[in-house]
Amino acid sequence: MMKGVVLAGGLGTRLTPLTLITNKHLLPIYNQPMVFYPIQTLVRAGIREVMVVTSGPHSGHFIQVLKNGKEFGLDHLEYGYQNNPVGGIADALSICEDFADRGSLMVILGDNTTDANIGPAVHRFKEGAMIFLKKVPNLRGLGVPVFDKKNQKKIIMIEEKPKKPKSPYAVTGLYIYDNKVFDYIRRCKPSKRGQLEITEVNNFYIKAGMMRWEELKGFWSDAGTFESLLKASQYWAKKKGIK
């Protein structure tokens, strides 16, 4: 059975002063803490063992909120701590190698909210990597796939925050990786931001011919800015019947 990882580290500086109080991923999206949404996405996909990776001065708050995970229907909830809160997504994922136990992982960023059903993709997955793409009107600050001109289904690379995006798709914060991901992370070099970038990991899989993708159906938004936090809250309020 595939395991799941929620990456809920970082300092959440774009949401200051709210993140002076607690970790970004514990801020509310409508009537639930933000981190509930990615956990629920994993549970809907049939995943019952989850690791939450946190960092920063408010990491201890997660235990009080999530407890042992039983309220979500999890069989096992584990916590990991990223020593460097600005080390990057790939650095945070590297902490999960023992938890993976040589198996595959469904990885989701802790500020991503979606009502898409990723269960079929999880059950079909065998090896390599899979990313979930979404057409969005504003690609600023996001990773964007570049497709082969002769084969529009084939990704030839992913560009991180391009000034001139070459496709209308954003790389969402949902990924599936086999256990080779940890070898690729070890090959990563810090970017100009001083981080180990998940885009570099994805490009390693692309170069190896082991990357697949699916379009994410339904609502998707991160919640890392005041604007996207409000957008996500408004969507979930409406979906849950609040006018």
Side-chain angles (χ1 to χ4, degrees):
M1 179 68 70
M2 188 181 295
K3 296 180 179 181
V5 169
V6 178
L7 299 180
L11 297 175
T13 53
R14 291 181 297 173
L15 286 172
T16 303
L18 301 182
T19 46
L20 297 177
I21 303 167
T22 191
N23 185 286
K24 173 181 77 172
H25 306 90
L26 297 177
L27 295 174
I29 292 181
Y30 179 47
N31 65 345
Q32 295 185 147
M34 187 186 299
V35 72
F36 279 28
Y37 292 87
I39 292 175
Q40 289 163 351
T41 296
L42 296 175
V43 171
R44 286 199 305 271
I47 292 171
R48 295 294 180 267
E49 294 185 56
V50 170
M51 185 175 194
V52 176
V53 178
T54 70
S55 61
H58 308 298
S59 295
H61 295 178
F62 281 89
I63 296 176
Q64 183 178 358
V65 174
L66 301 179
K67 303 172 186 175
N68 59 14
K70 299 301 181 183
E71 295 175 8
F72 300 95
L74 296 176
D75 295 329
H76 177 78
L77 177 61
E78 192 167 323
Y79 297 91
Y81 184 77
Q82 183 183 16
N83 288 323
N84 181 4
V86 293
I89 295 172
D91 178 65
L93 182 56
S94 70
I95 296 167
C96 306
E97 186 166 10
D98 288 342
F99 172 73
D101 195 23
R102 300 183 180 180
S104 300
L105 292 174
M106 174 69 223
V107 180
I108 183 168
L109 302 188
D111 66 354
N112 275 223
T113 74
T114 181
D115 56 9
N117 179 14
I118 60 171
V122 168
H123 294 300
R124 285 196 305 270
F125 183 83
K126 293 182 180 179
E127 61 179 347
M130 176 176 286
I131 56 175
F132 293 84
L133 306 181
K134 182 73 176 176
K135 286 185 178 180
V136 297
N138 183 4
L139 293 166
R140 185 178 63 184
L142 298 170
V144 178
V146 179
F147 292 95
D148 189 319
K149 292 181 179 179
K150 295 181 179 179
N151 180 3
Q152 288 296 310
K153 295 289 186 180
K154 181 181 179 181
I155 297 175
I156 58 173
M157 71 173 296
I158 295 170
E159 294 183 320
E160 183 68 20
K161 302 178 178 64
K163 293 182 179 180
K164 295 182 179 180
K166 295 183 176 64
S167 77
Y169 289 98
V171 178
T172 69
L174 290 86
Y175 321 89
I176 308 178
Y177 297 115
D178 65 13
N179 204 251
K180 292 179 183 177
V181 68
F182 300 107
D183 292 329
Y184 287 140
I185 292 174
R186 282 186 276 271
R187 290 171 57 185
C188 288
K189 297 180 180 179
S191 66
K192 293 179 179 179
R193 299 191 298 171
Q195 298 185 353
L196 299 186
E197 306 283 358
I198 201 66
T199 293
E200 185 174 8
V201 173
N202 289 332
N203 281 329
F204 279 133
Y205 275 106
I206 291 170
K207 291 176 183 177
M210 297 300 291
M211 174 63 76
R212 304 292 180 266
W213 67 275
E214 287 205 9
E215 185 171 359
L216 202 62
K217 304 296 184 182
F219 173 80
W220 170 83
S221 178
D222 68 6
T225 65
F226 291 113
E227 293 78 13
S228 58
L229 182 64
L230 176 61
K231 173 186 174 182
S233 294
Q234 290 174 329
Y235 174 81
W236 287 102
K238 184 176 181 181
K239 185 177 179 69
K240 294 177 181 181
I242 303 299
K243 296 183 180 179

